[in-house]
């Protein structure tokens, strides 16, 4: 059985650290930190694609159509490639071995890139 990771906490920025802590706790049941990271990233993207027209990232709104002049292919998820929707995190440590690093994003996330914009950069 394939599973995905998600919470309603991401709708409340003040509780985003709690979401990260919840992800860290999935390492055991998922079979390790790397497996948990795959479930929360490319695994989620694969399940969205299988949803077909119910995939919220592929179901354009009338505003999307008006903005593009056609029905756009809105998202490529789960990959790092030109034109894909990807958020990137630079972690101080190895989250594939210790997912607990993500439970304290203030201390361990050195760079955060979302929607092509750098939101945090504490590198020298």
């Amino acid at each position: 059985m394939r599973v995905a990771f998600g919470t309603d906490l991401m709708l409340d920025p003040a509780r985003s650290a709690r979401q990260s802590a919840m992800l860290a706790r999935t390492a055991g049941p998922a079979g390790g930190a790397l497996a948990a990271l795959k479930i929360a990233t490319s695994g989620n993207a694969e399940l969205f694609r299988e949803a077909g027209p119910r995939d919220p990232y592929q179901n354009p709104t009338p505003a999307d159509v008006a903005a593009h002049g056609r029905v756009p292919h809105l998202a490529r998820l789960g990959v790092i490639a030109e034109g894909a929707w990807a958020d990137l995190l630079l972690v101080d440590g190895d989250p594939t071995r210790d997912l607990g690093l993500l439970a304290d994003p203030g201390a361990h996330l050195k760079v955060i890139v979302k929607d092509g914009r750098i939101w945090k950069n504490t590198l020298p």
Side-chain angles (χ1 to χ4, degrees):
M1 173 187 342
R2 294 186 11 206
V3 297
F5 174 81
T7 77
D8 291 337
L9 294 173
M10 65 188 196
L11 302 176
D12 181 359
R15 297 170 71 185
S16 64
R18 186 165 178 217
Q19 178 179 337
S20 299
M22 291 174 75
L23 174 60
R25 289 196 308 263
T26 66
L34 183 58
L37 285 171
K38 286 181 179 179
I39 287 169
T41 56
S42 59
N44 276 359
E46 289 172 10
L47 289 174
F48 274 131
R49 282 192 293 274
E50 289 182 16
R54 293 173 295 167
D55 178 349
Y57 296 97
Q58 299 300 324
N59 193 8
T61 66
D64 295 323
V65 175
H68 292 88
R70 59 182 167 67
V71 176
H73 180 75
L74 294 179
R76 288 176 51 211
L77 301 176
V79 298
I80 299 173
E82 185 175 346
W85 287 7
D87 300 336
L88 301 173
L89 306 174
L90 181 61
V91 181
D92 185 13
D94 184 355
T96 67
R97 295 181 188 266
D98 179 8
L99 203 51
L101 295 168
L102 299 181
D104 188 357
H108 300 290
L109 295 183
K110 300 304 179 185
V111 176
I112 300 173
V113 179
K114 180 167 180 55
D115 298 327
R117 180 174 172 229
I118 297 173
W119 290 87
K120 176 182 179 181
N121 183 354
T122 59
L123 294 176

